Amino acid sequence: RARVMGLDVEAEVKQLVEEIKRLGGKGPDGKTSVKFGVLFADDRCQNIFEALVGTLRAAKKRKVIHFEGEMLLQGAHDSVDVVLLEE
C-alpha cells in the first residue's frame, strides 16, 4: 500500500512541476516561480490536486520546489512565491 501511495505522490509532484511551468514565469535568477494564490485559484489545479498543500509540502521535502515557511494557507500566503529548483 505504501508503494502505491508513494507512486501517486511522485506523479502529483511531477504534475505540480508542469502546472508551475504553465502558470508561472522566469524570475531574474532564471528560475520559474508562481504565486501560491495563482496556483490555488487555478481551476485545472483544483481539479488535479485533491490536496494541493500536501503536494506542495511533498515537493518541498523532495527539494523540487522552495517556498518560505512550512505550510501555505489560502488568503494568508497568496503572495508567497513557489519556486522550481529544477526543471
Side-chain angles (χ1 to χ4, degrees):
R1 180 172 164 92
R3 184 177 298 188
V4 170
M5 291 188 69
L7 287 174
D8 289 346
V9 170
E10 293 301 323
E12 284 204 356
V13 168
K14 283 187 175 134
Q15 186 62 50
L16 177 64
V17 169
E18 293 309 310
E19 297 307 314
I20 291 171
K21 287 179 182 176
R22 177 176 69 87
L23 294 168
K26 295 251 187 224
D29 60 0
K31 293 186 177 181
T32 301
S33 69
V34 65
K35 300 287 184 198
F36 172 67
V38 172
L39 262 182
F40 198 90
D42 183 71
D43 285 341
R44 186 164 155 186
C45 286
Q46 287 178 6
N47 290 334
I48 295 171
F49 303 110
E50 219 171 282
L52 176 61
V53 172
T55 304
L56 286 165
R57 288 183 71 185
K60 184 176 182 178
K61 190 174 171 184
R62 288 163 174 77
K63 300 194 181 343
V64 174
I65 64 168
H66 174 76
F67 55 83
E68 291 299 320
E70 288 298 309
M71 198 162 100
L72 299 172
L73 302 172
Q74 181 189 15
H77 299 115
D78 285 354
S79 63
V80 172
D81 287 318
V82 177
V83 182
L84 278 182
L85 298 177
E86 51 187 59
E87 292 194 42

